[in-house]
Amino acid sequence: MAASPSTARAINDRLALRLLQQEGPLTARQLKQLTGLSRPTVADLVERLTAAGLIAVAGETGEQRRGPNAKLYGIVAGRAHLAALDVRTEGVAVIVSDLVGEVLAEASLPITGDAGTGPAVEQAVALVERTAKEAGVDRLHTVGIGAPGLIDPASGELRDSSGLPEWHRRLVAALQERLPEARVSVENETNLAALAEQRDGAGRDRDTFVLVWLGHGTGAAVILDGTLRRGASGGTGEIGFLPVPGTRGLPSATDCAGGFHSLVGAAAVAELAAEYGIEAEPGIEPAAAGAVRTAVATAGSASARFLDSLADRVAVGVASVVALLDPGRVVLGGEVGQAGGEALAARVRDRLSVLSPLPAEVRPSTLGGGAVLRGALLTARDQAQNDLFGSPGR
């Protein structure tokens, strides 16, 4: 069935906007070439999108000939503003950007465990408001939040999880109350890191890969056929509960002690480093990540043996993921994965080739500690653009 004229216009407008978002400012001639649309159709959509306030003339090409074909059209970046949050057990980081993703301001704030739920929520919300004010933004269109824990697929809310601060769950509602005009959404931090790696990092050239998060907690994000998979209850990737050899027992429904987390969680990595006499420089970063970074940067048998032992542990969980999903590539993220870099990834890759008959590359994250914030910003930008670009003529 042929599309109606209004539907065809909406499809063409959205295609043009996506190209401008991906490529930056383009001339009408370039839009014609990239879309395959006729010159009159492109002229119509440019006029329509300009009247809607979605695009504007951003300059001219260097061509000698002036006129309509020389004008560069770009998305009006100030049409909407976004905020992205990376919420951790020890604090929160915030960035505020325009509609095309240019960062206008950023800030972070430690929030201690003894702050109390109410004060912690207020500190986080106030940080968002201050950062927006610093960016010169009066109204936020969309706020994307990355946080540890499970997201309920039915409600989209962060589920109550033991071991995670209560203020995490309260934060979403508090932001929505203080920013009633904004769309506020939350996603698991590992999922957001994987989406960022898919778009801009170590998974950019892959439709299928798994990101294994090695940080304070342990988890994984699964991208299959280009799509993030969350599972029936939102729990895809909870590999901290994976029963593995080398632990003192088995995990339970309420405690991942005895699971993969017991081998590669931050506390376990710090203890392993101490066994080999590897010490991190105090106060620079979490102890586990600091110890791994020290070992990577230090020549010596103790450092090499520590990294070998850590790779042995990581490979046990990675081999299970590869055997089940056959992703072809595994990205090591989180603070420990970032600190280990290629030195740790190469060791895990070597061990995996022995443990698994399925070929899989193992690579370190290329986005490092900024992956969660980057993923939250990309998600917020996509949501805002879907809202604004969905019906350009309105």
Side-chain angles (χ1 to χ4, degrees):
M1 181 180 297
S4 68
S6 61
T7 300
R9 284 194 296 271
I11 292 172
N12 292 339
D13 290 351
R14 192 173 181 84
L15 173 59
L17 287 164
R18 285 298 180 192
L19 285 169
L20 291 170
Q21 186 259 315
Q22 294 167 5
E23 305 292 335
L26 298 169
T27 65
R29 183 192 299 273
Q30 289 170 325
L31 281 171
K32 175 182 179 298
Q33 293 171 341
L34 291 170
T35 62
L37 299 173
S38 69
R39 182 177 298 174
T41 300
V42 170
D44 286 345
L45 73 83
V46 166
E47 181 179 356
R48 210 164 38 245
L49 295 174
T50 301
L54 293 176
I55 69 172
V57 176
E60 292 189 343
T61 65
E63 298 173 0
Q64 293 296 321
R65 186 177 66 177
R66 298 302 180 188
N69 287 334
K71 292 180 180 178
L72 284 166
Y73 296 93
I75 292 174
V76 178
R79 177 65 186 271
H81 292 94
L82 323 168
L85 284 71
D86 180 2
V87 177
R88 303 294 179 96
T89 55
E90 70 278 3
V92 61
V94 179
I95 57 176
V96 173
S97 83
D98 60 24
L99 184 58
V100 297
E102 181 179 352
V103 176
L104 305 176
E106 54 188 314
S108 61
L109 180 72
I111 298 179
T112 59
D114 57 359
T117 298
V121 170
E122 177 57 32
Q123 290 177 48
V125 173
L127 181 67
V128 175
E129 293 175 331
R130 287 198 305 271
T131 309
K133 184 176 181 180
E134 180 184 338
V137 174
D138 296 325
R139 175 182 177 272
L140 290 170
H141 183 284
T142 306
V143 178
I145 303 171
L150 298 178
I151 308 300
D152 188 319
S155 66
E157 297 178 352
L158 191 64
R159 288 167 52 183
D160 188 14
S161 301
S162 59
L164 294 177
E166 174 64 21
W167 68 268
H168 285 192
R169 297 185 66 246
R170 294 270 301 276
L171 178 59
V172 177
L175 281 169
Q176 193 67 79
E177 181 179 351
R178 290 272 277 271
L179 305 170
E181 296 181 333
R183 175 179 179 178
V184 181
S185 63
V186 62
E187 179 59 90
N188 173 268
E189 59 179 354
T190 308
N191 286 345
L192 288 178
L195 290 173
E197 295 287 351
Q198 179 189 32
R199 192 83 62 92
D200 299 324
R204 189 171 185 176
D205 59 338
R206 303 284 302 194
D207 287 334
T208 297
F209 71 95
V210 170
L211 183 141
V212 173
W213 186 268
L214 304 171
H216 177 75
T218 308
V222 179
I223 304 288
L224 292 179
D225 300 324
T227 302
L228 175 68
R229 306 296 181 178
R230 295 180 175 84
S233 64
T236 294
E238 286 296 307
I239 61 171
F241 287 86
L242 187 71
V244 292
T247 64
R248 296 189 181 95
L250 291 173
S252 70
T254 58
D255 190 353
C256 59
F260 185 49
H261 177 80
S262 295
L263 295 181
V264 297
V269 173
E271 291 176 4
L272 182 66
E275 292 177 13
Y276 288 93
I278 307 298
E279 297 183 359
E281 187 176 345
I284 302 299
E285 58 186 332
V292 173
R293 196 177 303 279
T294 296
V296 170
T298 305
S301 61
S303 293
R305 286 185 288 117
F306 163 60
L307 291 173
D308 286 342
S309 294
L310 179 57
D312 288 340
R313 295 183 174 194
V314 174
V316 168
V318 170
S320 298
V321 171
V322 170
L324 184 63
L325 298 174
D326 188 19
R329 179 176 296 173
V330 176
V331 177
L332 302 183
E335 296 87 354
V336 169
Q338 175 191 357
E342 178 59 27
L344 179 61
R347 285 172 163 85
V348 175
R349 185 165 56 242
D350 290 344
R351 285 151 179 78
L352 185 61
S353 66
V354 176
L355 292 174
S356 173
L358 305 177
E361 302 173 289
V362 180
R363 295 189 179 185
S365 162
T366 59
L367 299 179
V372 176
L373 266 179
R374 178 62 179 162
L377 179 59
L378 287 169
T379 301
R381 190 181 74 181
D382 287 348
Q383 290 173 344
Q385 290 183 351
N386 284 339
D387 180 34
L388 295 170
F389 298 173
S391 300
R394 64 186 176 190

